[in-house]
Amino acid sequence: MAKILFVITASDHWTLADGTRQPAGFWAEEAIGPYQVFKEAGYEIAAATPGGVPPTADPLSLSAEFNGGEEGAERMRTALREATELARPMRIEDVHIDDYVAVFCPGGWGPMEDLPDNAASGRLLTDWLASGKPVSLVCHGPAALLATIGPDGSSPFSGYRLTGLSNAEEKQNGLADRAKWLLQDRLVGDLKADYREADPFTPHVQVDRTLYTGQNPYSAVPLAEELVKALS
């Protein structure tokens, strides 16, 4: 059975400009929604993190506030417990691309902490793009693409049309003024990507060649559905 690899942050925090550690991790909705789409389509799932560390779901993403009430929060917690593959990751260095048909990177503030400068993740994404297999990332997940920038400032993803959490959305999240940097700014300024955004917190997916990106949590399932179509 064909497999899809989840590359997930191993960080449980995001360090802000003043040194404060904001509790973080991956955003549960952005992992569980696509996980369920992929499983229902018949794909097996595997996971990899920096160091093979079991990933942490952002506590906020499991709260009643972000799941339409306590009943929805409990459904999310249950779904996460049942997604056992995500709790048993391998090291990114141990991934063999030939074993998978696509890679998917969920967001959350955690990826802003440990993926932008993770050399192993950068090499993996670079090799994945060269393989011709789909690379998909959502919300803060595209922060991982920053690790593909070489010493000369170039990246194989430069010039690609993509999206990710916008500055406007980070401002609505309440941490933009305290962040060391904002994702949209670096995707444009450092990665030199063709960044596109929609209205804050509306579903928005961009597809450019084999790169699939979603802007925010509400884009995670539509992104996964686009990926499944491409793999069919």
Side-chain angles (χ1 to χ4, degrees):
M1 188 180 295
K3 289 185 181 180
I4 294 176
L5 179 73
F6 278 53
V7 171
I8 308 175
T9 176
S11 183
D12 62 2
H13 67 276
W14 181 26
T15 305
L16 302 175
D18 63 359
T20 301
R21 287 189 168 194
Q22 169 72 28
F26 69 91
W27 195 257
E29 177 184 358
E30 296 171 13
I32 293 304
Y35 174 92
Q36 292 173 339
V37 170
F38 298 147
K39 293 285 276 191
E40 288 169 8
Y43 292 94
E44 292 185 3
I45 303 295
T49 66
V53 175
T56 299
D58 189 316
L60 284 176
S61 72
L62 301 175
S63 69
E65 178 184 359
F66 287 94
N67 288 280
E70 184 54 38
E71 185 176 333
E74 185 54 38
R75 282 198 300 270
M76 184 63 72
R77 296 180 203 122
T78 298
L80 187 59
R81 286 193 297 269
E82 292 175 348
T84 55
E85 303 96 328
L86 304 184
R88 300 193 302 267
M90 69 188 87
R91 298 189 316 148
I92 290 174
E93 294 89 340
D94 296 333
V95 171
H96 297 286
I97 291 176
D98 290 346
D99 295 340
Y100 307 95
V101 296
V103 63
F104 175 78
C105 184
W109 283 319
M112 300 283 280
E113 183 74 20
D114 65 350
L115 294 184
D117 57 0
N118 185 279
S121 176
R123 286 193 297 271
L124 179 68
L125 293 173
T126 296
D127 292 345
W128 218 296
L129 186 68
S131 77
K133 298 179 181 181
V135 175
S136 54
L137 315 94
V138 69
C139 199
H140 289 97
L145 298 177
L146 298 173
T148 69
I149 300 171
D152 63 353
S154 67
S155 164
F157 291 92
S158 296
Y160 272 73
R161 188 178 68 255
L162 55 71
T163 190
L165 196 85
S166 67
N167 289 355
E169 288 166 324
E170 200 71 271
K171 288 174 183 175
Q172 288 191 27
N173 283 338
L175 290 180
D177 292 342
R178 298 173 60 198
K180 293 179 180 178
W181 49 270
L182 299 180
L183 180 60
Q184 179 180 342
D185 290 345
R186 290 198 62 190
L187 291 175
V188 173
D190 295 345
L191 191 68
K192 299 177 178 63
D194 179 8
Y195 178 86
R196 307 290 180 92
E197 67 181 294
D199 291 338
F201 298 110
T202 59
H204 179 218
V205 171
Q206 287 287 334
V207 179
D208 186 354
R209 289 158 280 182
T210 57
L211 179 63
Y212 293 71
T213 51
Q215 183 172 322
N216 49 46
Y218 303 103
S219 308
V221 166
L223 175 62
E225 291 171 343
E226 283 294 325
L227 187 61
V228 167
K229 287 183 199 173
L231 294 171
S232 300

